Amino acid sequence: SLLGTAYDYMLRWHLETPYIKNMHFEELIVYISQNSVAVNGLKTFIRNNEESHNAYKLGAAVSHFKAIVVEIANFIKHGMNEERYLVSLHQLYAYDATYRSGKSEYVDKVMKNTTYRHLKTMDELREMRAVMLKSDIVKEYLNTSDKYLNPSFGNSHLLGGADADLIIGDRLVEIKATMESVVQKSHLRQLVGYAILSKLDGLEIEEISIYFPEYDFEEVMNLSDVVNDMDELTEQVQALYHLKNSRTIETPPLPFSR
């Protein structure tokens, strides 16, 4: 969703600010560009429009994307103009959506109106940023040495490609910017899948949690209360992958212990 994508970027840059704000400005711009899914959306847009030979349109898209990144970099480095920063996060969604859908219409829309914003979403982003700055989970992440932000997994192909939101100590956290703070079974399946991949990478997860930023609420569960035998489930996933020789499989039904 637009709100979820914008929040993901907002949280990521906030958590990384202590480590990246002292980069040289051009270096920071490159870092932001290379560490966002959105840059793949720009590449998708260019590929989709190459046959039109419309150099102006392609150049305008590159300039627009760079302007977004510059606004984000300015805010990270200097704390300049929060409103323009939030608009930039809002518009970055268009590039994410283009990458995920393969359709150029999302970028086309914001290109026609570079100040476009959905007012309700902007209000929600302001509120979520205010909550984020006071959030215990954000403070915990920043004050913990053993942590991972958006970790990718060496065996992610087992589950069709996946990366998690946060690992804090031995707790795996999934962030859901949803209207309701209700844990769904699909959320648990997703987290158990990440826990399997973490285990295969040598990271033992003891707790899993869902964090709902709109409510600043985190539901924390012991992994052992959700899965009876993590070792057995991990072996099942590996065996199913090799048996089916498929690029994408779903986590098998969980042997819930509660």
Side-chain angles (χ1 to χ4, degrees):
S1 70
L2 191 163
L3 183 63
T5 298
Y7 182 83
D8 284 348
Y9 279 124
M10 180 167 64
L11 178 65
R12 175 177 188 141
W13 302 134
H14 178 69
L15 295 179
E16 289 202 323
T17 290
Y19 312 103
I20 64 177
K21 70 178 298 181
N22 293 325
M23 290 180 174
H24 293 297
F25 194 71
E26 288 300 323
E27 183 184 5
L28 181 57
I29 288 173
V30 171
Y31 180 84
I32 293 169
S33 298
Q34 292 180 346
N35 287 275
S36 69
V37 173
V39 72
N40 294 320
L42 175 62
K43 294 174 183 176
T44 300
F45 182 85
I46 291 172
R47 283 197 302 270
N48 289 351
N49 291 275
E50 277 178 334
E51 292 184 3
S52 69
H53 302 292
N54 188 335
Y56 173 79
K57 184 175 184 178
L58 297 179
V62 172
S63 296
H64 179 246
F65 182 81
K66 184 172 182 180
I68 290 174
V69 173
V70 166
E71 289 293 349
I72 293 170
N74 270 323
F75 188 80
I76 290 172
K77 196 163 183 66
H78 306 297
M80 294 172 59
N81 203 321
E82 181 180 87
E83 186 71 9
R84 287 167 63 176
Y85 171 63
L86 295 178
V87 170
S88 296
L89 294 176
H90 186 302
Q91 295 212 341
L92 209 56
Y93 167 78
Y95 291 88
D96 264 60
T98 290
Y99 171 64
R100 298 183 193 282
S101 69
K103 299 177 181 178
S104 299
E105 60 194 58
Y106 299 97
V107 173
D108 281 328
K109 184 174 183 178
V110 293
M111 289 273 291
K112 290 176 182 175
N113 182 1
T114 56
T115 61
Y116 168 79
R117 68 203 74 178
H118 187 279
L119 295 180
K120 184 174 184 296
T121 300
M122 289 296 294
D123 288 340
E124 289 174 324
L125 277 176
R126 288 188 203 95
E127 292 173 7
M128 291 170 74
R129 176 168 168 75
V131 170
M132 178 189 73
L133 294 176
K134 300 176 182 178
S135 169
D136 287 339
I137 194 171
V138 168
K139 293 175 184 176
E140 181 184 4
Y141 180 89
L142 291 173
N143 292 319
T144 299
S145 58
D146 187 14
K147 60 192 175 186
Y148 300 88
L149 175 63
N150 295 130
S152 55
F153 304 106
N155 292 279
S156 63
H157 59 280
L158 294 174
L159 297 174
D163 58 0
D165 287 330
L166 300 173
I167 296 178
I168 306 174
D170 60 7
R171 185 166 92 256
L172 182 62
V173 183
E174 179 66 17
I175 298 167
K176 296 295 183 185
T178 55
M179 296 302 294
E180 296 182 347
S181 57
V182 178
V183 176
Q184 307 286 345
K185 187 172 285 191
S186 61
H187 298 161
L188 296 180
R189 289 185 183 278
Q190 183 179 8
L191 278 165
V192 170
Y194 293 157
I196 289 171
L197 298 177
S198 297
K199 185 177 182 64
L200 292 171
D201 280 356
L203 293 173
E204 291 291 340
I205 299 299
E206 298 294 334
E207 294 181 328
I208 57 175
S209 76
I210 307 288
Y211 176 65
F212 299 95
E214 286 203 84
Y215 303 91
D216 192 24
F217 169 69
E218 183 183 14
E219 179 74 33
V220 182
M221 296 153 279
N222 290 322
L223 183 58
S224 60
D225 290 336
V226 178
V227 178
N228 288 323
D229 191 329
M230 194 64 184
D231 291 333
E232 181 182 354
L233 184 58
T234 301
E235 290 175 3
Q236 288 176 358
V237 169
Q238 289 178 297
L240 278 172
Y241 175 80
H242 293 302
L243 179 65
K244 295 184 177 182
N245 193 26
S246 170
R247 290 185 179 178
T248 57
I249 63 170
E250 295 182 358
T251 308
L254 299 181
F256 284 102
S257 55
R258 65 172 186 171

